[in-house]
Amino acid sequence: ALLAASQAAAQSVVGTAYGFAGGATGGADGEVVTASSMDELATLLGDDTARTVVIDQEFDFTGTTGTEAGCDRKSCSVDNGGQLYLGDLSCGSSDNVAVSSITYDTAGPDAIKVGSNKSILGLGKGKLVGKGLSLNKGASNVIIQGLEFTNVNPGIVWGGDLLDFQGSNDGVWVDHNKFSLAGRMFIVSHYDASRLTISNNEFDGTTTASATCNGNHYWTMMFYGDGDQVTLDKNYYHDVSGRAPKLGEDGAKGTFQAVNNLFSNMKGHAFDAYDSATALIEGNAFEGVAQPNTEKAAGSKLLYTVPDEAAASACTSALGRACAVNAVDSASGKLAALKAESVLATLGAVKGSLVEPLAADKVAAYVKANAGPANLGA
């Protein structure tokens, strides 16, 4: 009986969902099933029945190829370390050169569908190769923990995303996973409001096929569901060059807290924010980041980057605590000093979902020691 209890504990979620995904329980009320094949995995994840799905091995979906027309970039060609672009969504400009036949793994654009009430557990050893996960529109109460996502057509934009939310995904906790080698986005949310927490993950942008031709993956993450509420906490972003993260879209409102994250060795930009994205950016560490934010983000009237101790103290009336100043090292560019007071009012209305910041000078060591599937339970 004791052995059975310990085995059950070893196949359950570590910790409790928090932040904007607070309250998510995943498949806690259902049976625990270990996926034994790729077909079984798709079946177990696709419905809305409460279930804990354990992935304790590598599932490799690569090997079945197709061809399609697309284009290359003159300014950043494949020969110079760039990516190809499948189809015509990114083609047609004067910077493009038509490519009549691009070979790609057909599994990549066809992600595994995920329904509601699921705990998807990699236990620090589960790995999805060549195919990502896609939460169905309206799927809610999902926990994804301890998995590695990798090798989804990394040389080909539109070759697939690693994790995408189709919209209206209420209560999703993505924790202690690793993301690398994607054709397009590591994580993306679409169109309709979702409530998400992305925590303790590693986003490894090291690649030989970069849209920015600098060995850094560009398509890191973007959230443009209208009404998205997203917590980004204690994540490790490194060797990425853009959209790390991209917040909002013209006409799509979102509310974000980015706290305790480490941005490291980045040749491009971290925060890209549209005018309708309200974001509190506090207690993050930037080490060797060329652009902590884009020029567009620097012009935003809805960002609060806690530029100094006075701005940190100003949080107290709305949030019930001081905010944490961000740490930007001398090898990084400048983080724009933004302190839109409306951000504090907006975040104050949901302060029960906000994460307490660490001191920014403690963030780098903490994140390096705790992020990713290998550090689950550390």
Side-chain angles (χ1 to χ4, degrees), residues 26-52:
D29 294 333
E31 64 176 342
V32 179
V33 184
T34 300
S36 60
S37 70
M38 292 183 281
D39 287 342
E40 184 184 28
L41 178 62
T43 300
L44 292 171
L45 294 181
D47 61 20
D48 292 331
T49 302
R51 186 180 296 122
T52 293

Side-chain angles (χ1 to χ4, degrees), residues 225-239:
D226 189 12
D228 274 355
Q229 293 182 311
V230 182
T231 301
L232 300 172
D233 176 44
K234 302 183 184 73
N235 298 294
Y236 184 19
Y237 301 85
H238 64 90
D239 300 282

Side-chain angles (χ1 to χ4, degrees), residues 54-254:
V54 176
I55 304 172
D56 63 358
Q57 61 178 294
E58 176 181 309
F59 287 123
D60 188 346
F61 296 88
T62 62
T64 302
T65 59
T67 59
E68 189 175 333
C71 63
D72 195 359
R73 288 274 195 268
K74 295 176 185 177
S75 59
C76 179
S77 70
V78 167
D79 289 343
N80 289 321
Q83 290 180 286
L84 292 171
Y85 294 75
L86 200 63
D88 56 13
L89 284 171
S90 299
C91 301
S93 76
S94 59
D95 191 31
N96 295 149
V97 177
V99 177
S100 60
S101 181
I102 296 172
T103 300
Y104 65 101
D105 271 297
T106 56
D110 183 27
I112 301 168
K113 305 298 188 290
V114 179
S116 297
N117 309 311
K118 298 291 184 291
S119 295
I120 308 170
L121 304 184
L123 308 180
K125 54 188 175 181
K127 192 171 184 179
L128 298 181
V129 180
K131 188 186 284 286
L133 299 178
S134 176
L135 269 69
N136 296 332
K137 185 172 181 178
S140 61
N141 190 34
V142 175
I143 296 172
I144 303 169
Q145 188 178 69
L147 264 176
E148 182 173 353
F149 299 77
T150 193
N151 199 27
V152 177
N153 287 310
I156 304 169
V157 180
W158 304 111
D161 302 320
L162 298 186
L163 177 59
D164 89 77
F165 306 101
Q166 286 293 307
S168 301
N169 300 125
D170 188 55
V172 184
W173 184 30
V174 180
D175 179 69
H176 278 98
N177 304 285
K178 181 177 180 180
F179 299 83
S180 65
L181 295 175
R184 193 167 167 269
M185 304 305 302
F186 286 161
I187 295 181
V188 57
S189 72
H190 297 281
Y191 313 131
D192 299 311
S194 293
R195 191 167 56 88
L196 316 169
T197 295
I198 316 294
S199 60
N200 300 292
N201 301 286
E202 179 183 0
F203 298 95
D204 178 359
T206 307
T207 183
T208 57
S210 161
T212 40
C213 278
N214 57 12
N216 282 197
H217 184 64
Y218 176 77
W219 320 97
T220 310
M221 56 171 54
M222 62 182 179
F223 304 99
Y224 57 91
D226 189 12
D228 274 355
Q229 293 182 311
V230 182
T231 301
L232 300 172
D233 176 44
K234 302 183 184 73
N235 298 294
Y236 184 19
Y237 301 85
H238 64 90
D239 300 282
V240 290
S241 63
R243 299 186 176 184
K246 179 179 178 182
L247 308 178
E249 187 177 53
D250 288 335
K253 295 181 179 179

